[in-house]
Amino acid sequence: MEVGVIIHNAGAKASPENLLKTARWAEELGYHALWLTDHVVLKEAEEIKSWYPYRTHGRWDYPPDTPWTDPLLTLAWVGAAAPTLKLGTSVLVVPLRNPILLAKQLASLDFLTGGRVILGAGAGWMKEEFDFIGEDFDNRGRRVVEMVQLMRALWSGEMVDFKGEFYEVSGGQMYPTPVFGTIPVVWGGHSEAAIRRAARVGDGWHPTQITLDQLEAGVKKLRQYCEEYGRDPDSTLVIARPGDKYDITPEAHAKHLELGIDHLVVDTPIKQEDPDLSLLRERMERAAEVCGLTRRN
């Protein structure tokens, strides 16, 4: 099983120097991937009425002046410092973006980093962010699936003629293509719709902030839906990110292995005061030990 780590492109720790330092630590400690989060523009917390699915109280609690670097640009920055690690988004809010430009950005990042990109894709939850950018929130679920279909067509390197409900491309071709012909798309979310989306049109499922019991139930559903759609369940990745829902203990990790989790994403402290990154380093070291990672020289 591979193990990746969230490094902070958000909050007080999100300096160029800290990002490079953390990426190099991850490589040294034996991690397999770096993962970054995504938001584009924020409003005052009290103006956010959308239900935040990753807090029990459902309220967004980051101030609007929280530094939040673009995840794709930041992956290019840290990817050069840690050349053996995969580079993932956890998760990119895809429907906030133009699919053609996003396909180009992702293919270029993958090309420049030697085929290391994993697209953790989400439909998004914050309506206020969609409204600010001018993208439709209500159709985001259908639209995000079509966006990925269009991006995969562009990544093929073939001349693309695509006509969908939301997007139409005629006689267009995009190069460079991803190093391995495409970019793995793992779908975030743990709703029924999200799990079905992963089973139907995903290379994997990337649940975040769920309990071990929810993870076990979700894996069971994912395998069931893969069979319904005529897909091999074993070919669909499960990339789990517990967040703060449970600690990564030896017992929890044994459960990951029992469930056949392909990749575990470790969170590191976000809001705690940690000027010298000692808490972050300690968390990374502890998780690496529990997961049995082998240090690199």
Side-chain angles (χ1 to χ4, degrees):
M1 186 179 75
E2 293 185 334
V3 183
V5 62
I6 295 284
I7 65 172
H8 292 122
N9 62 316
K13 302 183 188 72
S15 71
E17 298 78 16
N18 284 348
L19 285 161
L20 292 182
K21 182 185 291 187
T22 310
R24 289 172 179 140
W25 282 349
E27 192 165 46
E28 170 199 330
L29 292 169
Y31 283 89
H32 301 93
L34 304 171
W35 294 84
L36 299 182
T37 59
D38 179 41
H39 276 288
V40 177
V41 63
L42 302 178
K43 298 174 73 67
E44 293 288 353
E46 58 269 20
E47 295 183 38
I48 306 298
K49 305 304 181 185
S50 301
W51 178 265
Y52 183 34
Y54 305 117
R55 293 283 188 274
T56 54
H57 51 64
R59 300 298 301 163
W60 177 251
D61 51 10
Y62 288 88
D65 61 353
T66 301
W68 217 304
T69 65
D70 178 88
L72 302 184
L73 290 173
T74 309
L75 285 173
W77 174 248
V78 298
T84 66
L85 303 189
K86 295 178 181 180
L87 307 169
T89 54
S90 182
V91 296
L92 193 77
V93 187
V94 172
L96 290 177
R97 294 161 165 90
N98 176 286
I100 300 172
L101 292 176
L102 181 57
K104 184 68 168 183
Q105 291 167 331
L106 286 162
S108 298
L109 177 62
D110 192 75
F111 175 76
L112 292 170
T113 59
R116 293 188 277 151
V117 175
I118 304 169
L119 174 59
W125 62 270
M126 189 189 290
K127 182 178 185 298
E128 293 80 1
E129 194 170 17
F130 280 74
D131 291 344
F132 193 98
I133 293 172
E135 292 291 347
D136 194 293
F137 182 76
D138 293 333
N139 67 18
R140 70 196 189 285
R142 301 196 319 279
R143 189 158 51 87
V144 71
V145 171
E146 187 172 306
M147 291 176 76
V148 168
Q149 291 169 337
L150 174 54
M151 290 194 296
R152 283 173 170 157
L154 291 164
W155 292 335
S156 73
E158 301 294 327
M159 191 64 69
V160 174
D161 288 293
F162 180 96
K163 186 172 183 179
E165 180 183 358
F166 304 102
Y167 304 102
E168 184 172 349
V169 173
S170 180
Q173 201 165 7
M174 182 176 286
Y175 275 84
T177 58
V179 171
F180 299 110
T182 191
I183 291 170
V185 179
V186 296
W187 291 96
H190 53 272
S191 67
E192 197 80 13
I195 299 173
R196 281 193 175 275
R197 186 184 298 130
R200 183 166 58 90
V201 293
D203 298 298
W205 178 45
H206 178 39
T208 64
Q209 302 275 3
I210 62 174
T211 67
L212 269 173
D213 288 343
Q214 289 174 312
L215 178 60
E216 183 172 15
V219 168
K220 184 177 180 180
K221 286 181 181 179
L222 178 69
R223 290 173 177 158
Q224 173 191 330
Y225 296 153
C226 282
E227 290 174 355
E228 285 183 16
Y229 294 121
R231 303 185 65 196
D232 178 7
D234 292 334
S235 69
T236 305
L237 297 171
V238 178
I239 300 179
R241 179 184 164 196
D244 60 4
K245 291 298 183 181
Y246 62 88
D247 292 330
I248 299 172
T249 61
E251 294 76 17
H253 191 54
K255 188 66 175 179
H256 296 147
L257 296 172
E258 177 190 323
L259 293 174
I261 303 304
D262 298 285
H263 190 120
L264 177 69
V265 179
V266 175
D267 270 80
T268 47
I270 297 177
K271 291 190 171 184
Q272 296 94 323
E273 291 292 329
D274 189 19
D276 61 356
L277 304 186
S278 58
L279 292 176
L280 185 150
R281 173 79 187 201
E282 180 185 347
R283 178 78 63 86
M284 290 175 68
E285 288 180 341
R286 186 166 65 248
E289 181 180 358
V290 168
C291 296
L293 300 185
T294 302
R295 285 177 176 253
R296 298 181 179 92
N297 295 326

